[in-house]
């Protein structure tokens, strides 16, 4: 198989509902992403970007088509194995942060490490380091409702990075942030890219997309353009 | 995830909404506490009845006559009335080991009432019992101070008397000082031989407001030579009460020539039967209370389910996040099951604690007696309730696809 690609999807479709009311969110998408690439995905609202990312992140399953991740057929993985893939290989960053409420920043960052069966001391250490990396060393004991939007997104990034995943999937990570926070987050992405991670970022903002090396344009469930920009 | 981490996650989940967790715990603890307390109350009341009946004397048959067969005007001393009167000879016949081998002792009883005086103090004794010494052990009436009278005292009609606690207190203030003194009963002098031990009341009458004298003395001085009021019969053993009762019936029927077609004019009360009946009643009562309590336990369980359902629904997004971060199905399941079980178990422990305190006090006139198995049962049921009722919402939560959980509002 095409073992050289980190991510490869072939003719993936996703249909919500059936019959008259069926919504075709993806109408046959094929895409290859190599390890270490920095890809931006753009497209109008409702074009299927989030649907694509959810499938890439093993959060959702395609209606049809194949998905090969790091050489293995995702459709053949059991529920638990998929959970393992999410925990070990993929880090998610969502537009709405998705931190666990009433739980400190440190505990939030520790969570994926807990699911990866790391020991307590090691978890602490790594979580603290990840928070330091995003510049929140002094906010480890704060709960999400005690943090600004930008800070929350940085906690989410720390959480996504804590396990050291090879792939970072970000769905409009700067959608809720001001220019300053956006610049900070993008700076972090640049560092991660330099570090050799694979980054796929969905965005509506051209200056965000401009930081990536490759731009994929989606329209009405299809990829309409795919070009290397830098 | 290690058990410790799971426990931590569950505890954090519970403390996230303290008031709600507290109310759920309260529901379970009321259920568990109610089971233990109500069973203890039922058990205690059964024990109380049993104790009282045992105080009356076990293996005891009390024979009395209903006053004669049909056809006679009440109160009129017809021939049949006399025919069926109990006599000292009846008592002697029942005491005959050859005629009634299952009877261990027999005491004829005649009662009257009279005013006892000690100098200036006088006291109306409701029940002056004339009997033989066998009466005391048979009816479980020990002498506390002094001594009982003997068969020789009966044979020679000695003017001796045993006073009940109340009678002794009324006449002498201090019961102990009564022994050896002389009192008047009616116009006759009696020497106080002893004071009876105090008895718990079994009915409306004060069982301590009595005096006991030899039956011959009572007949000679107070009551005359009429029929006996009762014959008290003690069976030779607990398992021989029924045969003893049959022997009594047979002997008396033969001695008084009761026609075969007539209902027996003799009434025999069987203390074992009364005990059995009241134990059955107590058991029914306990079962009833336990049922009521069990219902409240189930209601508590439904409370746990309800809270878990709400919790799971409310935290569906959180479940989605956890899954996105690599949580496996059984991790999610474990967390919620532990939460539900903790709620139930904490509730159970609080319920047991409260029940242990409450049952130290007298409730509705009953001293509750704990049934240890009810504690185990209530705790077990509450844990089972947590696991059973908690598993439904937990399964639902764990089975969600990550994206569906994340999209939940
Ligand atoms: N769970 C669902 N059930 C039914 N239809 C859905 C569901 N999720 C998405 N869709 C539909 O699929 C299409 C693609 O949705 P998607 O979320 O991928 O769009 P998007 O490109 O991310 O848009 P946006 O930029 O606004 O986030 C939309 O038309 C949407 O209505
Ligand atoms: Mg979207």
């Amino acid at each position: 198989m095409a073992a050289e690609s980190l991510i490869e999807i072939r003719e993936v479709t996703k249909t919500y509902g059936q019959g008259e009311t069926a919504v075709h969110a993806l109408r046959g998408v094929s895409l290859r992403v190599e390890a270490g690439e920095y890809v931006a995905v753009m497209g109008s609202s409702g074009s299927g970007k989030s649907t694509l990312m959810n499938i890439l992140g093993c959060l959702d399953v395609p209606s049809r088509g194949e998905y090969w991740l790091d050489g293995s057929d995702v459709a053949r993985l059991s529920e638990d194995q998929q959970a393992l893939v999410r925990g070990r290989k993929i880090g998610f960053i969502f537009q709405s942060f998705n931190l666990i409420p009433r739980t400190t920043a440190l505990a939030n960052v520790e969570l994926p490490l807990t699911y990866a069966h790391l020991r307590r001391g090691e978890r602490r250490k790594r979580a603290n380091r990840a928070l330091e990396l995003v510049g929140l060393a002094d906010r480890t004991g704060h709960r999400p409702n005690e943090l600004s939007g930008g800070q929350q997104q940085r906690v989410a990034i720390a959480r996504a990075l804590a396990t050291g995943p090879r792939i970072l999937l970000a769905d409009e990570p700067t959608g809720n942030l001001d220019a300053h926070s956006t610049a900070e987050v993008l700076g972090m992405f640049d560092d991660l890219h330099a570090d050799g991670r694979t980054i796929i970022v969905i965005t509506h903002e051209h200056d965000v997309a401009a930081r990536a090396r490759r731009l994929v344009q989606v329209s009405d469930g299809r990829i309409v353009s795919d070009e290397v920009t830098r | 995830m290690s058990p410790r981490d799971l426990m931590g996650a569950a505890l954090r989940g519970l403390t996230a909404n303290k008031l709600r967790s507290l109310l759920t715990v309260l529901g379970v603890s009321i259920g568990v506490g109610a089971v233990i307390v109500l069973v203890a109350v039922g058990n205690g009341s059964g024990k109380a009845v049993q104790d009282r009946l045992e105080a009356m004397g076990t293996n005891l048959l009390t024979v009395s006559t209903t006053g004669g067969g049909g056809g006679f005007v009440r109160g009129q001393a017809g021939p049949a009335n006399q025919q069926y009167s109990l006599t000292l000879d009846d008592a002697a016949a029942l005491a005959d080991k050859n005629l009634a081998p299952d009877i261990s002792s027999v005491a004829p009883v005649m009662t009257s009432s009279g005013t006892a005086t000690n100098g200036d103090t006088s006291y109306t004794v409701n029940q002056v019992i004339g009997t033989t010494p066998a009466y005391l052990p048979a009816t479980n009436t020990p002498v506390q101070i002094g001594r009982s009278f003997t068969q020789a005292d009966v044979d020679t009609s000695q003017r001796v008397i045993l006073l009940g606690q109340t009678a002794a207190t009324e006449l002498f203030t201090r019961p102990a000082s009564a022994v050896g003194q002389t009192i008047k009963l009616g116009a006759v002098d009696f020497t106080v031989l002893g004071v009876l031990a105090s008895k718990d009341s079994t009915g409306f009458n004060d069982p301590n407001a009595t005096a006991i004298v030899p039956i011959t003395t009572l007949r000679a001085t107070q009551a005359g030579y009429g029929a006996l009021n009762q014959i008290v019969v003690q069976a030779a053993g607990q398992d021989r009460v029924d045969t003893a009762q049959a022997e009594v019936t047979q002997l008396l029927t033969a001695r008084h020539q009761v026609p075969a077609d007539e209902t027996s004019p003799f009434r025999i009360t069987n203390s074992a039967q009364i005990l059995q009946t009241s134990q059955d009643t107590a058991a029914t009562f306990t079962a009833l209370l336990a049922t009521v309590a069990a219902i409240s336990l189930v209601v508590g369980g439904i409370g746990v389910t309800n809270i878990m359902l709400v919790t799971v629904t409310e935290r569906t997004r959180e479940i989605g996040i956890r899954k996105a971060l690599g949580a496996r199905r059984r991790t999610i399941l474990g967390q919620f099951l532990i939460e539900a079980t903790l709620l139930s178990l904490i509730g159970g422990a609080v319920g047991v604690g409260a029940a242990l305190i409450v049952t130290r006090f007298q409730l509705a006139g009953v001293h509750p007696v704990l049934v240890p198995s009810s504690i185990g049962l209530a705790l077990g049921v509450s844990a089972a309730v947590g696991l059973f009722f908690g598993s439904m919402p937990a399964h639902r939560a764990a089975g969600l696809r990550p994206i569906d959980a994340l999209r939940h509002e």
Side-chain angles (χ1 to χ4, degrees), chain B residues 33-34 39 65 116-117 147 151 172 177 183 206 214 230 300 316 375 404:
Chain B
V39 168
T65 178
T117 49
R147 63 171 182 88
Q151 187 60 42
F172 292 95
S177 64
I183 61 163
D206 179 1
Q230 286 178 348
T316 304
I375 298 177
D404 294 333

Side-chain angles (χ1 to χ4, degrees), chain A residues 16 54 59-61 79-80 83 86-87 92 94 96 98-100 102 111-112 114-115 117 120 123 159, chain B residues 1 4-5 16 314 317-318 321-331 398 401-403 406-407:
Chain A
Y16 294 106
N54 292 334
L59 296 174
D60 207 351
V61 289
E79 203 187 308
D80 277 0
R86 285 195 294 270
F92 292 98
F94 302 94
S96 50
N98 275 343
L99 296 179
I100 298 202
R102 293 182 292 261
L111 208 54
T114 313
Y115 293 135
H117 302 289
R120 235 176 129 72
R123 266 175 7 216
R159 188 177 64 182
Chain B
M1 226 176 164
R4 195 177 147 178
D5 293 331
E314 201 184 66
R317 245 176 95 90
E318 179 187 323
I321 300 170
R322 286 173 183 276
K323 290 202 145 191
L325 297 177
R328 284 192 271 182
R329 186 196 183 97
R330 63 164 172 268
T331 310
R401 213 187 286 154
I403 191 63
L406 274 173
R407 283 247 179 81

Side-chain angles (χ1 to χ4, degrees), chain B residues 317-407:
Chain B
R317 245 176 95 90
E318 179 187 323
I319 292 167
I321 300 170
R322 286 173 183 276
K323 290 202 145 191
L325 297 177
R328 284 192 271 182
R329 186 196 183 97
R330 63 164 172 268
T331 310
I332 303 280
L333 191 66
Q335 180 186 334
F336 283 97
L337 273 187
I338 290 177
E339 277 189 28
T341 310
L342 270 182
L343 279 179
S344 298
L345 275 184
I346 294 173
V350 171
V352 169
L356 288 181
I357 293 169
V358 168
T359 48
R360 284 164 174 261
F361 300 100
Q362 192 164 338
L363 298 172
V366 176
H367 276 295
V369 177
L370 276 175
V371 184
S373 61
S374 74
I375 298 177
L377 191 76
L379 266 183
V381 167
S382 75
V385 155
L387 272 176
F388 179 77
F389 288 106
S391 69
M392 277 187 310
H395 267 291
R396 242 177 50 166
L400 286 174
R401 213 187 286 154
I403 191 63
D404 294 333
L406 274 173
R407 283 247 179 81

Side-chain angles (χ1 to χ4, degrees), chain A residues 16-17 23-25 43-52 95 171-172 202 204, chain B residues 404 407:
Chain A
Y16 294 106
V23 176
H24 299 280
S44 57
S45 185
S47 55
K49 304 182 297 292
S50 296
T51 306
L52 177 63
Q95 179 177 3
D171 191 350
E172 298 185 40
I202 294 172
H204 283 291
Chain B
D404 294 333
R407 283 247 179 81

Side-chain angles (χ1 to χ4, degrees), chain A residues 10-27:
Chain A
R10 282 188 220 142
E11 287 304 315
V12 161
T13 65
K14 180 71 185 179
T15 311
Y16 294 106
Q18 308 158 326
E20 299 271 301
T21 57
V23 176
H24 299 280
L26 295 178
R27 300 171 185 265

Side-chain angles (χ1 to χ4, degrees), chain B residues 19-295:
Chain B
L19 182 62
R20 189 198 283 167
S21 301
L22 206 76
L23 288 174
T24 315
V25 162
L26 191 67
V28 176
S29 56
I30 288 174
V32 169
V35 168
I36 298 171
V37 170
L38 291 185
V39 168
V41 166
N43 188 32
S45 75
K47 278 246 163 52
V49 171
Q50 190 175 340
D51 288 350
R52 267 185 251 154
L53 287 169
E54 272 169 4
M56 275 169 67
T58 44
N59 310 341
L60 193 68
L61 298 172
T62 309
V63 186
S64 57
T65 178
T66 50
F72 290 93
V73 181
R74 251 179 197 284
Q76 189 180 324
N81 257 357
Q82 279 170 13
Q83 183 192 344
Y84 297 145
S85 296
L86 295 170
T87 65
L88 281 174
D89 289 341
D90 289 333
L94 290 173
D96 189 330
K97 282 271 178 276
N98 294 323
L99 296 174
D102 294 299
I103 291 171
S104 69
S105 71
V106 175
V109 175
M110 265 186 100
T111 51
S112 85
S113 61
T115 303
T117 49
N118 167 35
D120 297 336
T121 322
S122 74
Y123 173 67
T124 306
V125 186
N126 283 330
Q127 223 192 2
V128 180
I129 300 169
T131 185
T132 59
Y135 178 83
L136 299 178
T139 57
N140 214 348
T141 315
V143 178
Q144 190 181 35
I145 311 162
R147 63 171 182 88
S148 170
F149 54 81
T150 61
Q151 187 60 42
D153 293 329
V154 176
D155 293 342
T156 54
S157 308
Q158 291 299 311
R159 294 181 175 180
V160 290
I161 192 165
L162 303 173
L163 295 176
Q165 284 281 335
T166 310
T169 312
E170 290 287 337
L171 289 170
F172 292 95
T173 317
R174 285 195 320 113
S177 64
V179 178
Q181 304 290 318
T182 305
I183 61 163
K184 267 194 193 318
L185 188 61
V188 185
D189 282 338
F190 280 85
T191 306
V192 179
L193 276 187
V195 177
L196 304 172
S198 182
K199 274 193 151 187
D200 285 341
S201 175
T202 53
F204 298 108
N205 297 323
D206 179 1
N208 299 310
T210 52
I212 301 180
V213 300
I215 186 163
T216 47
T217 319
L218 188 80
R219 298 189 116 186
T221 62
Q222 317 277 327
Y225 292 88
L228 298 178
N229 294 76
Q230 286 178 348
I231 299 176
V232 169
V233 174
Q234 194 177 22
Q238 196 143 30
D239 48 342
R240 290 160 80 176
V241 177
D242 290 339
T243 42
Q245 183 168 357
E247 283 164 13
V248 170
T249 311
Q250 199 190 5
L251 261 173
L252 292 179
T253 307
R255 284 179 56 81
H256 293 267
Q257 290 155 359
V258 181
D261 57 346
E262 203 174 301
T263 53
S264 176
F266 304 109
R267 204 172 64 139
I268 304 174
T269 3
N270 181 332
S271 69
Q273 258 168 25
I274 299 175
L275 187 63
Q276 186 61 50
T277 312
S278 44
Q279 273 172 342
D280 290 350
T281 314
T284 314
F285 182 56
T286 307
L288 195 75
L289 288 179
T291 310
V292 172
I295 291 172

